[in-house]
Amino acid sequence: MSQPAFDFGDDEFDDAANPTYSVGELAEAINDTLRRGFSDGVWVRGEITGWSDRGQHAYFTLVDDADTSDGSGGGGSGRGKAVLNVQFFANARMRLRPMLQKNRLRLGDGMKVRVFGYLDYYAPNGRIGLKMTGIDPKYTLGDIAQSRDEVIRRLVADGLLDANKRRPLSAIPLRVGVVASVGTAAWHDFHDELRRSALGFALTVIDTRVQGEFAEEMVAAAVITLSRRTDLDVVVVIRGGGARNELAVFDAERIARAIALSPIPVLTGLGHEVDRSVADEVAHTTLKTPTACAGELISRAARYSADTEAAFASIVRESRHTLNAATTDLSETAHRIARRTHAAVE
């Protein structure tokens, strides 16, 4: 049995046919091989995890469910997640920023992307990574649109797309349940608009996250909680503007079903005027912004108040007309009686 590790002969320690590398030399060799094999760069798709901003640079991991078996069929095979470390340096971030802003995308955890870059073996930590220099926004937008369409198809199949629209909305919705991130600009816009109206709105507020981790669960749970109350006229779900992938939380099926199944009418005021989420599709009434959502409530309450005042004024006018007519008739009757009485006496 050959044991080269224990061969203490006088043969040369290193030769051209079977060289021995130092760690640094091996790192250089790996990088040379990577550069030759992927000299034109490479596109990689996956889901962003562990996003970290460090100064002007960003670092994250691309994760993909991949078969990591060695193909030998032995006990060592298995299935796990393939990962790739990505470096997104300041110069590349600055160059790609206009394109990301144009497509209203903000990179972060949970976002599915297709990125371009160059492979690099970083000797100090012994890892192969990708220096990101490009991104395909259509891939991310397409994934968002596809997920949204699939949710809508399931809602239509279950007859839920118009379920909440059939709920009768009070003519004077003053008792309002609110799902919002309290303290944000969206919350203040909504709250201040109601306060300035000087109408008697009573708010029951559940403070939730509206983006990022746990947002989907918190928003859905808040809608369900408020929908179980018997002292509310309407439930309002509001959020300010943001990137498309951040607003995509309101495309979640869990939130859509919570809204669709609510026995109380749900109003939504989410994002910008150009945005329309699955939550908007299933809501009783969809408004463009949180301020517009408040304006709708004020308009309904003001219209009810105006209609009530008009009805009271009409009742007063009709009552006065009826009373004046009756007074005239009574006076004429009294005069006739008086004349006939005098005539009878004479």
Side-chain angles (χ1 to χ4, degrees):
M1 178 176 173
S2 175
Q3 291 183 326
F6 295 95
D7 187 356
F8 296 99
D10 295 331
D11 294 341
E12 279 295 323
F13 173 73
D14 199 0
D15 62 61
N18 186 26
T20 299
Y21 294 92
S22 71
V23 175
E25 290 169 343
L26 181 60
E28 291 180 4
I30 292 173
N31 271 322
D32 288 342
T33 302
L34 290 174
R35 293 187 186 105
R36 287 196 302 270
F38 299 93
S39 59
D40 295 328
V42 61
W43 285 98
V44 187
R45 67 177 185 269
E47 181 177 315
I48 294 175
T49 62
W51 178 275
S52 174
D53 285 301
R54 303 178 195 172
Q56 298 299 314
H57 309 304
Y59 301 86
F60 60 92
T61 301
L62 273 185
V63 179
D64 184 26
D65 290 329
D67 189 350
T68 58
S69 64
D70 57 13
S72 64
S77 64
R79 188 168 181 82
K81 288 187 175 181
V83 300
L84 176 67
N85 297 305
V86 181
Q87 302 89 41
F88 191 19
F89 294 125
N91 57 343
R93 292 186 76 177
M94 185 176 300
R95 184 170 49 81
L96 295 180
R97 185 175 294 120
M99 180 177 64
L100 292 171
Q101 290 176 341
K102 177 182 177 181
N103 291 278
R104 294 182 48 232
L105 293 174
R106 183 174 298 151
L107 302 183
D109 286 355
M111 186 174 176
K112 294 182 180 180
V113 294
R114 178 173 177 260
V115 301
F116 181 83
Y118 295 87
L119 293 172
D120 176 72
Y121 177 77
Y122 187 56
N125 61 19
R127 293 181 179 180
I128 293 178
L130 182 78
K131 293 181 178 178
M132 175 178 162
T133 60
I135 187 169
D136 177 10
K138 293 180 180 179
Y139 179 85
T140 301
L141 296 175
D143 178 74
I144 292 172
Q146 181 180 356
S147 299
R148 182 182 184 277
D149 291 344
E150 289 174 356
V151 171
I152 289 179
R153 280 197 294 270
R154 288 193 290 270
L155 293 170
V156 170
D158 293 341
L160 294 177
L161 197 64
D162 297 324
N164 195 255
K165 292 178 174 63
R166 295 191 288 269
R167 304 292 184 186
L169 179 57
S170 170
I172 181 168
L174 294 177
R175 302 175 301 172
V176 184
V178 185
V179 179
S181 178
V182 175
T184 61
W187 158 253
H188 286 297
D189 289 345
F190 176 80
H191 176 266
D192 294 348
E193 190 78 4
L194 294 183
R195 181 174 52 81
R196 284 192 294 267
S197 72
L199 296 171
F201 288 101
L203 304 184
T204 301
V205 185
I206 295 184
D207 185 10
T208 69
R209 293 185 181 181
V210 291
Q211 70 181 57
E213 191 178 10
F214 306 123
E216 178 183 332
E217 294 87 343
M218 292 181 71
V219 171
V223 172
I224 292 171
T225 299
L226 291 173
S227 297
R228 290 172 177 166
R229 297 179 66 115
T230 58
D231 59 346
L232 296 177
D233 300 313
V234 66
V235 172
V236 172
V237 182
I238 55 174
R239 185 211 191 279
R244 290 188 188 183
N245 54 295
E246 292 175 341
L247 290 167
V249 68
F250 291 97
D251 291 330
E253 187 168 355
R254 183 182 303 188
I255 294 176
R257 287 184 177 273
I259 293 174
L261 295 171
S262 170
I264 302 174
V266 178
L267 274 60
T268 54
L270 304 169
H272 301 285
E273 293 188 2
V274 296
D275 298 312
R276 189 170 179 87
S277 65
V278 176
D280 291 321
E281 298 290 348
V282 298
H284 181 283
T285 303
T286 299
L287 287 310
K288 298 298 184 181
T289 62
T291 301
C293 207
E296 175 67 15
L297 296 177
I298 294 169
S299 176
R300 282 180 170 270
R303 186 163 57 247
Y304 179 86
S305 177
D307 291 345
T308 302
E309 292 295 334
F312 284 149
S314 178
I315 291 171
V316 169
R317 287 194 302 271
E318 191 65 27
S319 298
R320 285 176 178 170
H321 175 74
T322 301
L323 184 58
N324 289 337
T327 299
T328 300
D329 290 344
L330 181 60
S331 178
E332 291 175 353
T333 301
H335 285 303
R336 284 197 302 272
I337 292 173
R339 287 195 299 271
R340 291 179 182 179
T341 301
H342 286 298
V345 169
E346 289 175 356

